[in-house]
Amino acid sequence: MLFNSLDFAVFLPIVFILYWFVVNRDLKLQNALVVLASYVFYGWWDWRFLLLIFFSTGVDYLVGLQLNKERKKKNRKILLWISVIVNLGFLGFFKYYNFFLDNFITAFSFFGMKINANTLNIILPVGISFYTFQTLSYTIDIYKKKLKPTKDFIAFSAFVSFFPQLVAGPIERTSNLLPQFLNKRKFDYSKAIDGTRQILWGLFKKIVIADNCAQFANEIFANSADLNGSTLALGVLFFTFQIYGDFSGYSDIAIGTARLFGFNLTQNFAFPFFSRTFPEVWRRWHISLTTWFRDYLFIPLVKRFPINKVTKVIHVFVLFIVIGFWHGASWNFFLWGVLLALYFIPSLFLKNKIQTQVVAEGKFFPTLSEFFKVLLTFSKGSFALIFFRADSVGQIFEFITNIFSFSLFEIPELSNYTLASEVIALIFVFMLIEWQGREQLYAIEKLGFKWKKPFRYLSYYIIVFLILFYAGQEEEFIYFQF
Amino acid sequence: MKSYIYKILFFLFPICIIVVILEFLLINIPNDYTFKKEYLDKNASEIETIIFGTSHTFAGLRPEYIDGHTFSVAIGNQSLSYDYKIFKKYQNDFKNLKTIVLAVSYPTLWFRLQDHHKDSSLIFNYEKYYGIDASANIDFRLEILNRPLKLNYRLIFQYYIKKKPVQISEEFGWGKKITKRSDLSRSGKQQAKRQTYRDINSNVNNIRMNESIRMLNSIIDWSKQNNVNVVLLTTPTHLYYREKLNQEQLEITIKTATELALNNENCMYLNFFNDERFSDDDYRDAHHLNPTGAAKFSKLVNLQIKEFQ
């Protein structure tokens, strides 16, 4: 079920009413309703994959309990490996089987050996990369004795399958989400209003920004060989806003929906376009994934291998290549990861202070130096997205060669200049709203709080109007494919 | 909690009212589907030549240039499966029918409207306006959701304020679309890519193709029994489109149409695909004729139909 569909618009109020009015007195029933609703939500795509979630839930629940009982280190390790193999096994099979098989066949044929093997027609279960990582963190944390397992299977199932964040995150840590299922939730009016506002903003990002940009990004990337440099550069810009609007919009809807049910999810995006350095981008973009990899891959690597200049570089490469492959089984994503690592490495050797505060904090205008730093970081990030969006490695190089040619100074060749100008104007307004709200959790969190009520309502109606104005066919969210 | 619900309902109330009004206005705008249905309901028994197909025949074949009472039920994106559904619905009403023209274009054998999620709004049109069971999963049937609101506004403005019709069908169902010629090279490449099916021999594609052939055979058999001729027609296309096509898909299409014509004496295959009598000036884009090209093409088709009769 898509968040931007009518199905969801009907589904959400039904679950909300049942949750707060029918099963509100019994925590177990409330959790059972969450599980049921989550399975309906997920099964709307393909009910067969529910078995996968159920199996994964069952294995991690049992492994968690056993890990707590088991004292022998060797047995504990075996249990951990069972969880890792089951979870990564599913992920590997559904996501990477064909990729590795193709590459093995190609590699062997390079040495004159012919291998007869057929690739399988595998459908990737929606969101498998997200819930797999969430359940993995549960068993790893219990193994590391950072966490006690839960005996409540219903609460654990609800934690694994919680519908707002099941298919595209945020990837929640057990320590944050699971305890919320174990304690009674109370309806909080201001939290619900805030959640509704965040849903509204998420829909705006998805429907008004991402879907409009997608029209041009898709057209330009599909015809990149025939277009001039300036059009391709515009294509990159459109795709940058498409992916941000799409994914951060999804996160906003997910977080807002969870708030309606009394849950707090992790912030997943913190205005990454206003970062001054590349490491700052990674602290602000898809935060739940980058912190997951930091805690479960990077830190263990650092602990295992002595830190020196060479290992530091290797660790960063490993981290970003794995992040690249997490996004998809193709060489494009591998190269994307390599490029990100190259962006990141200089920061390891420069003794710059880590910037945790948002740019131009407490001020409206940034300094000239801040402005250019933000612009440079944004350009580098957008450039990297060519690797992310291109269909093949060949297209990446063709695209880059065409961009950096004299045709970069020609007039862009767009199919609809009026609409393109309209979309660029929308992006400009969007960036202004994001800029004014960059010190909050999401851009409109406090928009118009000092205004008179009718004006504040008017601003929400304008957002609703724009959403309805551009809403058409439901477009899938990009991150579902991961 | 109740105050939250009241607040949300209070906020949504004006939006719901506007949605209901817009839906009412939109659903009452006559369009190509309502026009064609009404025409068939009233005149099916008098039609002598009926033209089916997608935008290729909708824009490319002008009924006024075909002898006898000719009507085009072709429409943009109308797959063979919907040609067939329309045919089935009206077959008993065709009392005077002499010729059926069926478009066989490059994607025809594999294209099924119901397989394309993005075209669900089109399927809605058949169910809502044509009264044809779409037998497809359309989640909620609201006209307002078939296109972005900004296009809905334009439709309402055009029909209710400017008092201009929304349909592009002319009197006998020809789709008159006068637009500037698009870049032939780019449109050729884009459309060829869009209409080429990956892995043409896959199980799914074979099932689709066999189903299409079954539908064509069914129409031909009915026509035989009712002394009606069937003309399988491939419309002219520009070199920029042709050169980007998958040769295997193209060969299967032409071979299938040729075999159907050879095996059935009431069936003729007219292939104008590579016809060099059509120049750049005859095209709206690389695979659609403009009104001038359509007039030229229709005269040629008319001659062939007359000869066949």
Side-chain angles (χ1 to χ4, degrees), chain B residues 272-290:
Chain B
F272 288 84
F273 198 62
N274 299 311
D275 202 305
E276 287 178 359
R277 284 171 286 187
F278 295 89
S279 67
D280 286 8
D281 293 337
D282 295 317
Y283 289 98
R284 183 178 91 207
D285 59 37
H287 64 127
H288 290 111
L289 293 169
N290 60 23

Side-chain angles (χ1 to χ4, degrees), chain A residues 159-327:
Chain A
F159 157 72
V160 176
S161 63
F162 190 37
F163 71 88
Q165 44 89 237
L166 173 62
V167 289
I171 302 167
E172 282 300 323
R173 295 305 174 78
T174 316
S175 54
N176 178 46
L177 187 56
L178 187 57
Q180 297 186 58
F181 279 105
L182 300 172
N183 295 309
K184 191 150 175 60
R185 277 87 62 181
K186 270 189 183 171
F187 184 82
D188 181 335
Y189 173 81
S190 56
K191 204 169 167 178
I193 287 288
D194 193 46
T196 312
R197 199 182 294 118
Q198 195 162 2
I199 293 173
L200 187 67
W201 188 236
L203 286 171
F204 176 86
K205 282 178 174 176
K206 166 66 181 158
I207 293 167
V208 181
I209 302 299
D211 291 351
N212 270 317
C213 287
Q215 297 174 50
F216 292 100
N218 292 343
E219 188 190 325
I220 293 168
F221 273 87
N223 301 291
S224 59
D226 302 329
L227 298 169
N228 63 22
S230 57
T231 317
L232 297 183
L234 261 182
V236 177
L237 190 76
F238 281 127
F239 182 65
T240 306
F241 283 101
Q242 180 198 349
I243 195 158
Y244 175 65
D246 192 284
F247 192 24
S248 72
Y250 185 93
S251 295
D252 281 332
I253 302 169
I255 295 166
T257 307
R259 285 175 83 78
L260 292 183
F261 293 90
F263 292 89
N264 291 317
L265 299 184
T266 319
Q267 188 186 15
N268 215 15
F269 287 85
F271 309 96
F273 286 169
F274 305 136
S275 305
R276 287 147 292 185
T277 61
F278 199 70
E280 193 184 350
V281 176
W282 280 98
R283 281 194 305 278
R284 296 180 176 280
W285 180 281
H286 202 175
I287 299 163
S288 65
L289 181 79
T290 49
T291 50
W292 197 100
F293 275 113
R294 183 197 64 200
D295 295 348
Y296 296 102
L297 179 69
F298 189 71
I299 292 175
L301 274 176
V302 169
K303 279 184 182 168
R304 182 122 196 193
F305 301 100
I307 276 282
N308 58 47
K309 281 181 184 173
V310 178
T311 52
K312 257 186 191 177
V313 171
I314 293 172
H315 292 157
V316 169
F317 268 111
V318 170
L319 175 73
F320 281 103
I321 288 169
V322 174
I323 287 179
F325 268 126
W326 178 89
H327 283 83

